[in-house]
Structure formats: structure tokens, C-alpha cells
Amino acid sequence: MRVFNRKNGNMDNRPIGIFDSGVGGLTVVKQMLRKLPYEEIVYLGDTARVPYGTKSPETIKRFAVENAEFLMRFKVKLIVVACNTASSTSLDILREKFDIPIVGVIKPGAEKAVTVTRNNKIGIIGTHTTVKSRAYEREIKRINKNIKVLSQACPIFVPLVEEGWVNEDVTYDIAKKYLKPLVSKRVDTLVLGCTHYPLLKQVISRVTGKNVKIIDSANSVTEEVYNILMALGGLSEKRKPKHKFFATDAVEHFVRIGEKFLGSKITNAKRVTYV
């Protein structure tokens, strides 16, 4: 990996690239804007091909490389793979192909869960591909092999969020059915293994109860990005960064739902036509 610093790459004032399969990665952007206010963000939501969780690892890797290649057009200094499914399958190939730091969401989320659990029973919810990859389980076991990890695929959560159905009765019923096995096993910590899921946090918490700690990796990812940029001398000094938002399809829908994730207006979003 190339080593950047303020002298040899002007890394500090280059943007951060973030991609996700849809709008879910905007939960990461929200934390970035809050904790790294001078950083310029280029965000890509691959809305034409969402969800990733039902696709093969080979297909997801191809999508991830294409998304990263698009972000590299903006001379980004670091890429955050905000999609858990892509993080579980594609980090190695991205790190081989691109010589900038690549940050996934699984490692930071797993580390946070290990520090929070009290009874050493951690639940993971995510797409079929993320759960099948056992990426969270491996990372958690690497830190503490005595922790019991229970995983549950929740494939319908992503389309529910994409439709904006975050407080519907049907959403609660589906969450109750998905989470029942984890609740019955008395997990005390639940990792939201998909960046779409934080918008369902209220519904999920109703099902699990207040004693279960819910881990959203967006905070942990932001801390890791900060630490990497600090070490490389790459923190931005811009006072008024101009963020850019792109979607591969249905830009109006992306903006409408995305603003709920971001908690603020999205202006000048554009469609990308490389897919």
C-alpha cells in the first residue's frame, strides 16, 4: 500500500469515497459528517443492483470493483465499503487492486460487540451472503474465542427499508419472526450486520427488549477512518467541503429515502450510468 502524507500526496484535501448497495451506507456518512466535519464525501449507492445479499460472492466482487473504480475517478484518498455483504466478500480483492486504504464495516462492528457483551452471547443479523460468509463470527472469535455467536439472515429487511416501511405493523411482525431464535438463546448484544438496518433499530429494539445492546458499526467505522487518516497525515483542512452523491438508478427514490438515513437534505444527486 502506498504511504501518503501531506508532502507527497496532498492526501489531506482529497475526498473520502463511500459505496453501498443502496441508501444504507448513508448511516456511515451521517457519522462521518458529524465526527469528521471537514472531510469531503463522495457517496455511491448502487441502487440499480440492490440488494447484494441475494447474489453470488463472485458477482458481488465484480460490483465492488466497479464501484471502487468509479470512486477513484474523484481521486479519493480512502474508500469505505459501507455494505456488509461487500465487506464480507470483497475486501481482499479491493485491497489488491487499489493502493489506497480500504475500510470495511465488519471488523469495527465486531470489535465493538466484543467490548459490549456481558454474557458472551452475540447475535448477528444480516443478508444471506453476509451470514453465510461467517465473517463476523471469524472476527469475533479472533478477538475472543469463548464468545458464542449466533447468526440470523434477515433478507426482507433491506427491501422494507428501501420502500421506507420502517414503522409498519408488517415490519414488526417480520422482525419478531426473524429475531425469535436469537432472543430465545438470550443474546445480550446484537450486531446490525447491514447498513440498512439502523433505520429499523426502533422496531428491532421493541422485539429484543431494552437489555439487548444493539451495535451499529457506523460509529466504529468512523473512528477507524479517523485513526487511519491521522496516522497518514491525511485529515482534511477544508472548511466547507462539497459532498457528492450518486446512485445507479432511481435518483429521486434514492434522495427521498436517503434523506431519512442522513437526517439532512441531499442536493444535486446524480445518476451514474456505468451499469
Side-chain angles (χ1 to χ4, degrees), residues 246-257:
F246 298 92
T248 54
D249 192 25
V251 173
E252 290 183 3
H253 178 77
F254 168 81
V255 171
R256 178 171 58 85
I257 302 300

Side-chain angles (χ1 to χ4, degrees), residues 1-171:
M1 182 181 294
R2 183 185 301 157
V3 177
F4 291 94
N5 58 46
R6 295 183 187 277
K7 294 181 179 180
N8 70 11
N10 196 26
M11 184 185 189
D12 50 348
N13 288 326
R14 290 160 55 193
I16 294 171
I18 301 176
F19 77 80
D20 184 39
S21 60
V23 297
L26 292 171
T27 56
V28 176
V29 176
K30 183 177 182 178
Q31 292 302 319
M32 291 277 189
L33 298 182
R34 182 179 299 170
K35 297 186 176 182
L36 298 171
Y38 300 142
E39 296 298 336
E40 186 173 295
I41 305 295
V42 180
Y43 180 86
L44 173 64
D46 192 6
T47 48
R49 304 187 289 198
V50 69
Y52 281 12
T54 57
K55 298 176 175 66
S56 69
E58 292 74 24
T59 297
I60 296 163
K61 289 176 183 178
R62 176 167 59 83
F63 291 175
V65 169
E66 290 172 352
N67 293 338
E69 286 175 339
F70 172 78
L71 293 174
M72 290 296 289
R73 299 179 193 175
F74 299 89
K75 295 182 167 57
V76 295
K77 60 187 174 185
L78 177 149
I79 290 177
V80 176
V81 182
C83 175
N84 280 262
T85 302
S87 288
S88 69
T89 59
S90 308
L91 288 187
D92 287 346
I93 191 171
L94 291 174
R95 286 168 176 161
E96 288 175 8
K97 189 172 181 63
F98 303 101
D99 58 357
I100 61 172
I102 308 289
V103 178
V105 290
I106 289 175
K107 180 173 175 284
E111 290 175 343
K112 182 67 174 179
V114 171
T115 65
V116 166
T117 184
R118 304 174 304 280
N119 68 1
N120 283 351
K121 291 183 179 180
I122 297 176
I124 308 293
I125 57 174
T127 65
H128 279 304
T129 301
T130 297
V131 168
K132 187 177 180 180
S133 75
R134 300 179 67 183
Y136 273 104
E137 183 176 353
R138 287 196 303 273
E139 193 62 37
I140 289 170
K141 292 286 189 180
R142 181 188 64 79
I143 302 168
N144 185 342
K145 64 181 181 180
N146 296 317
I147 290 178
K148 185 173 184 180
V149 180
L150 300 106
S151 299
Q152 175 67 47
C154 305
I156 301 178
F157 277 177
V158 169
L160 285 172
V161 170
E162 292 280 339
E163 283 297 323
W165 292 7
V166 296
N167 293 310
E168 307 291 328
D169 290 340
V170 66
T171 305

